Amino acid sequence: MPVPWFLLSLALGRSPMVLSLEKLMGPQDTARCSPGLSCHLWDGDVLCLPGSIVSAPGPVLVPTRLQTELVLRCHQETDCDLCVRVAIHLAVHGHWKEPKDEDEFGRAADPELEEPANAFLQAQVVLSFQAYPTARCVLLEVQVPAALVQPGQSVGSVVFDCFEAALGAEVRLWSYTQPRYQKELNLTQQLPDCKGLEVRDSIQSCWALPWLGVSADGDDVHLVLDVSEEQHFGLSLYWNQIQGPTKPWWHKNLTGPQNITLNHTDLFPCLCIQDSYSFFMAPFKCHLLLEALPYSSNCLFILLWKVWPLEPDSVRTSICPFREDPRAHRNLWRAARLRLLPPQGWQLNAPCSLLAEATLCWQAPGGGPCQSLVPPLSWANVTVNKTLELPLLNAHPNLCVQQVSSWEKLQLQQCLWADSLGALKDDMLLVETRGPQDNRSLCALEPSGCTPLFSRASTRAARLGEGLLQDLQSGQCLQLWEDDLRALWACPMDKYVHQRWALVWLACLLLASVLFLLFLFKKDHVKAAARARAALLLYSAEDSGFERLVGALASALCQLPLRVAVDLWSRRELSAQGPLAWFHAQRRQTLQEGGVVVLLFSPGAVALCHEWLQDGASASAPHGPHDAFAASLSCVLPDFLQGRAPGRYVGAYFDGLLHSEAVPTLFRSVPVFSLPSQLPDFLGTLQGPAAPRPGRLGERAKQVSRALQPALDQVLKAPRDPGGPGDGTRDGT
């Protein structure tokens, strides 16, 4: 008995069962109608030319539903092929009107009859069939008496026997009328294989067909064909496309066992596999191992592998095992490309069909999300490799096509005019809404939404609303799209950006002017502070302990805003230039920079001063190779004798090493400080105008005192030569 296809689909689910099929004897195609209809099948196939949709002149017959059923077409009892029976259900399209011209109807018997009751409706119904590599179109003429016509009601069906197809193949059916009054009907079905049908004894290709195992393990796809060494067969991989013919990808004629590996990136939902062998040859085993498919590793699906002829008496079959593979769908989406077709067309190119919707979106510079233009524009269904027209008046680089797949909601976006019109522009997109009585409202598309131009929002569009409206009215904005209710405008923002930067530059110039005035105001003070930071220390090298004390003082002063020069740190220059030349150079540089020369008095230094004051010639020979103090007296004493020392010299001595009265009277014309007891005053004099406030100065004095005290204690505790130059000069002696 005949088996409806929907029952067959249920039977071939997770719990397959064996079904028997009706047998049709003979190779002829036939057609039959339901009661009340008459039909005729044209001899031979016709061209498949759907044409464009036209308006119906009155009531017409149109196909409303396709129904399929599997049967067997047999040449002999055991020589049958799988065949697809198609039932086309018909209905009346359009409303019945009293005809003004009787020629609108054909006549069943006598063309001269004028009674409407004897008239009939006639339709030419095209039925198109495609199953790789076969494509057919047949034409059926159907007539229905006018008395049975009820607008919108079904009038019956016509059944066509039948389209031959291979086991396991995918078939596609279309039906429409000539001329075409509506969109064609279409139906896609996957045919079962030998396992699900009771056809082992009827279809010879099932006698020796191998089983195909599908398992998941790893990343790659392996086609393992275990055949005899002499077995010849063909293997083909192709993309089975809904729109247009199938697209071959790979084909080879092979012999013997084979192991063919495919990379997982080559998988697509429409990638199908077809192989062939001669059915009278020895049977062989064929396994398809699909690794990392969305099945558990221990799940086994049994499919049938059929073949197409390498020889005239061979058969072929196809399977498409990757339809539900997530990786195949991801690969398909990555391979899809949007292409601009001037002037206003675009096309989606992909290896397989995609169920997707597309619309335009606005991509602002800066890398944010592309803002959909729905509304005012609407989503449109996308057909792969078919040109679509963009509803635009003008192109813009910021306009992009955004496409969303119905499979896991994947997105594809491409700015089609990026190459021809350049980089993204900082333009503002205005959405105009038109109301009755020429009323209209405007809002600007921003990341937060569509902002009304005259709102109190703290956005750029709200701040520039009046200016944008003036730009629109003066024709500075580009109209991108419009209909009766809405319009889209792109308004350039360059001048507003320039104005903003002009304000920024003006603020920077104003700030620079203020800073320059402050610089001029404090220039003299800064110069004075810079001059007060130079200090030259002169001392007499008593012994190593005293030199360590002087070094501790110099290091402590360097921690303050002072630049200190002392011969201890310049022994190489002192040896190269000589003490007198080195002192002259340091003194001149220090005084030119507004610095201070510090005379550190010790018993030895006082003795040298007395010698110079009594007899200047006795100082012509320095006490040591590095004794800059003895060499400097020839320059220092004239400054004191001529009254040039105040403001340029400062005296100091260390507590416990010298009495204040021991300092020669000539040198008391400048401040003389006892260290560390008078450190605050000493530091204040050294730093001059740059000296900090008293509290801060006291803290610095404590820091210097802590640095001096250990070295001073070592000098005071060290035994002194009774006959030395400093004998009898300590406090209390």
Side-chain angles (χ1 to χ4, degrees):
M1 59 178 291
V3 181
W5 201 325
F6 73 94
L7 292 178
L8 182 62
S9 300
L10 293 176
L12 296 178
R14 296 185 178 273
S15 301
M17 56 185 296
V18 177
L19 300 175
S20 60
L21 300 180
E22 177 185 355
K23 292 184 179 180
L24 303 179
M25 302 304 295
Q28 295 82 13
D29 295 335
T30 60
R32 64 181 186 275
C33 303
S34 58
L37 302 181
S38 61
C39 56
H40 170 68
L41 174 64
W42 279 37
D43 294 335
D45 291 354
V46 298
L47 293 178
C48 300
L49 299 174
S52 57
I53 298 177
V54 299
S55 300
V60 293
L61 289 178
V62 293
T64 58
R65 184 164 62 94
L66 294 177
Q67 188 174 6
T68 57
E69 180 180 315
L70 289 183
V71 295
L72 293 177
R73 168 167 286 172
C74 301
H75 308 283
Q76 297 178 6
E77 185 66 26
T78 59
D79 183 12
C80 302
D81 293 306
L82 194 63
C83 210
V84 180
R85 172 183 290 166
V86 183
I88 308 172
H89 296 265
L90 302 171
V92 177
H93 176 74
H95 296 283
W96 185 270
K97 296 180 181 179
E98 188 67 27
K100 297 180 181 180
D101 187 357
E102 294 296 339
D103 290 338
E104 293 180 6
F105 301 98
R107 298 301 180 184
D110 188 353
E112 300 297 327
L113 293 177
E114 298 295 329
E115 292 294 329
N118 294 328
F120 57 85
L121 291 182
Q122 178 175 301
Q124 290 186 338
V125 181
V126 177
L127 185 58
S128 175
F129 172 85
Q130 181 178 341
Y132 181 77
T134 303
R136 293 187 60 194
C137 277
V138 297
L139 181 63
L140 301 165
E141 286 189 355
V142 184
Q143 296 178 353
V144 57
L148 300 179
V149 171
Q150 296 293 331
Q153 298 294 322
S154 175
V155 296
S157 63
V158 57
V159 178
F160 171 77
D161 282 329
C162 59
F163 294 115
E164 294 185 18
L167 289 163
E170 182 182 75
V171 299
R172 300 187 182 97
L173 296 165
W174 291 269
S175 181
Y176 51 89
T177 59
Q178 287 185 344
R180 188 159 63 98
Y181 302 115
Q182 64 181 18
K183 185 177 180 180
E184 65 268 16
L185 297 179
N186 64 82
L187 179 65
T188 302
Q189 294 282 359
Q190 182 73 39
L191 298 186
D193 52 34
C194 294
K195 181 179 182 296
L197 301 172
E198 192 177 308
V199 294
R200 294 294 184 91
D201 298 332
S202 301
I203 300 180
Q204 296 182 12
S205 58
C206 289
W207 296 355
L209 283 179
W211 296 104
L212 180 68
V214 180
S215 63
D217 181 23
D219 289 335
D220 295 330
V221 176
H222 298 286
L223 307 182
V224 181
L225 292 94
D226 185 11
V227 301
S228 63
E229 295 290 340
E230 299 80 13
Q231 178 67 62
H232 300 278
F233 62 94
L235 185 67
S236 177
L237 302 177
Y238 64 94
W239 289 321
N240 197 20
Q241 299 174 328
I242 293 179
Q243 293 89 13
T246 56
K247 185 178 180 181
W249 179 46
W250 184 89
H251 169 74
K252 278 189 177 181
N253 292 328
L254 304 171
T255 302
Q258 299 290 332
N259 191 333
I260 300 170
T261 301
L262 302 178
N263 193 289
H264 66 90
T265 58
D266 296 328
L267 303 185
F268 291 101
C270 65
L271 180 62
C272 299
I273 305 168
Q274 190 176 72
D275 78 325
S276 69
Y277 78 107
S278 298
F279 64 83
F280 59 85
M281 292 183 181
F284 62 89
K285 293 164 59 180
C286 177
H287 301 277
L288 176 63
L289 303 180
L290 302 180
E291 301 183 354
L293 287 177
Y295 311 118
S296 62
S297 59
N298 58 355
C299 184
L300 180 64
F301 293 86
I302 302 300
L303 299 177
L304 190 63
W305 189 287
K306 192 179 175 184
V307 293
W308 93 85
L310 293 178
E311 301 179 12
D313 52 355
S314 299
V315 291
R316 67 177 64 183
T317 191
S318 301
I319 59 169
C320 304
F322 311 113
R323 297 180 185 277
E324 304 300 328
D325 187 353
R327 294 178 306 171
H329 284 273
R330 284 193 292 268
N331 293 340
L332 175 60
W333 198 246
R334 294 190 188 104
R337 293 292 181 270
L338 298 174
R339 185 162 60 97
L340 180 65
L341 300 175
Q344 297 293 340
W346 68 281
Q347 191 178 89
L348 174 65
N349 299 131
C352 310
S353 299
L354 273 174
L355 296 178
E357 293 180 323
T359 189
L360 291 175
C361 63
W362 180 262
Q363 179 65 65
C370 194
Q371 295 174 271
S372 175
L373 299 182
V374 178
L377 300 179
S378 59
W379 290 97
N381 292 326
V382 178
T383 301
V384 173
N385 302 327
K386 181 179 180 181
T387 301
L388 301 175
E389 293 295 326
L390 293 167
L392 297 174
L393 299 176
N394 293 286
H396 193 281
N398 293 28
L399 283 175
C400 306
V401 174
Q402 188 178 65
Q403 183 171 296
V404 178
S405 170
S406 59
W407 191 86
E408 292 190 359
K409 298 300 180 184
L410 296 175
Q411 286 192 357
L412 178 66
Q413 176 184 316
Q414 189 166 344
C415 300
L416 300 178
W417 293 276
D419 295 334
S420 59
L421 299 183
L424 300 177
K425 296 182 179 180
D426 189 20
D427 290 358
M428 184 69 70
L429 185 69
L430 301 184
V431 181
E432 177 186 358
T433 303
R434 298 165 181 170
Q437 299 179 354
D438 202 23
N439 292 329
R440 66 176 184 172
S441 61
L442 291 167
C443 66
L445 192 64
E446 296 185 292
S448 58
C450 205
T451 305
L453 291 189
F454 298 101
S455 68
R456 297 182 179 180
S458 58
T459 63
R460 183 172 68 162
R463 291 192 301 269
L464 304 176
E466 185 175 353
L468 291 172
L469 181 60
Q470 293 177 358
D471 293 345
L472 181 62
Q473 294 174 345
S474 61
Q476 300 182 39
C477 299
L478 178 67
Q479 188 175 24
L480 305 179
W481 170 86
E482 74 168 344
D483 62 7
D484 295 336
L485 300 177
R486 295 185 179 93
L488 296 177
W489 304 84
C491 298
M493 301 292 289
D494 296 342
K495 64 178 181 180
Y496 300 106
V497 174
H498 294 160
Q499 291 176 1
R500 181 177 62 187
W501 282 110
L503 293 176
V504 172
W505 280 111
L506 182 61
C508 292
L509 290 175
L510 181 60
L511 179 61
S513 301
V514 172
L515 293 177
F516 182 70
L517 291 175
L518 291 175
F519 173 76
L520 294 179
F521 179 75
K522 294 187 176 182
K523 181 178 179 181
D524 294 337
H525 178 74
V526 171
K527 285 184 177 180
R531 287 193 300 268
R533 295 172 63 184
L536 173 62
L537 302 185
L538 295 178
Y539 69 99
S540 176
E542 302 272 327
D543 51 32
S544 60
F546 189 78
E547 286 187 341
R548 285 194 296 270
L549 180 60
V550 174
L553 175 63
S555 298
L557 294 179
C558 286
Q559 303 302 318
L560 309 177
L562 289 172
R563 183 164 49 86
V564 180
V566 63
D567 64 349
L568 283 173
W569 300 341
S570 305
R571 288 293 171 86
R572 180 177 298 177
E573 292 84 353
L574 199 65
S575 299
Q577 301 175 13
L580 187 60
W582 181 86
F583 168 74
H584 277 294
Q586 295 296 326
R587 173 181 171 275
R588 182 172 59 253
Q589 180 179 354
T590 301
L591 296 180
Q592 285 177 352
E593 295 177 358
V596 177
V597 179
V598 180
L599 300 176
L600 293 175
F601 291 102
S602 63
V606 170
L608 287 174
C609 290
H610 283 303
E611 291 179 8
W612 270 95
L613 291 174
Q614 293 174 4
D615 186 3
S618 64
S620 58
H623 290 195
H626 304 304
D627 198 341
F629 186 84
S632 67
L633 289 178
S634 61
C635 296
V636 171
L637 288 176
D639 287 340
F640 280 89
L641 293 173
Q642 296 174 13
R644 298 194 301 267
R648 306 169 74 182
Y649 290 84
V650 172
Y653 61 92
F654 293 102
D655 295 337
L657 293 181
L658 196 68
H659 293 290
S660 60
E661 295 82 1
V663 177
T665 305
L666 178 63
F667 296 100
R668 296 180 187 176
S669 60
V670 299
V672 180
F673 301 97
S674 178
L675 305 179
S677 59
Q678 295 179 337
L679 266 174
D681 296 335
F682 175 68
L683 298 180
T685 302
L686 289 184
Q687 293 183 265
R693 61 183 184 276
R696 180 61 177 165
L697 192 62
E699 294 177 1
R700 293 180 176 177
K702 291 180 181 179
Q703 295 175 2
V704 176
S705 178
R706 286 194 294 269
L708 282 179
Q709 198 62 48
L712 181 59
D713 291 342
Q714 290 183 0
V715 173
L716 293 175
K717 293 178 181 179
R720 301 185 62 84
D721 183 4
D727 187 40
T729 61
R730 292 176 183 259
D731 290 346
T733 59

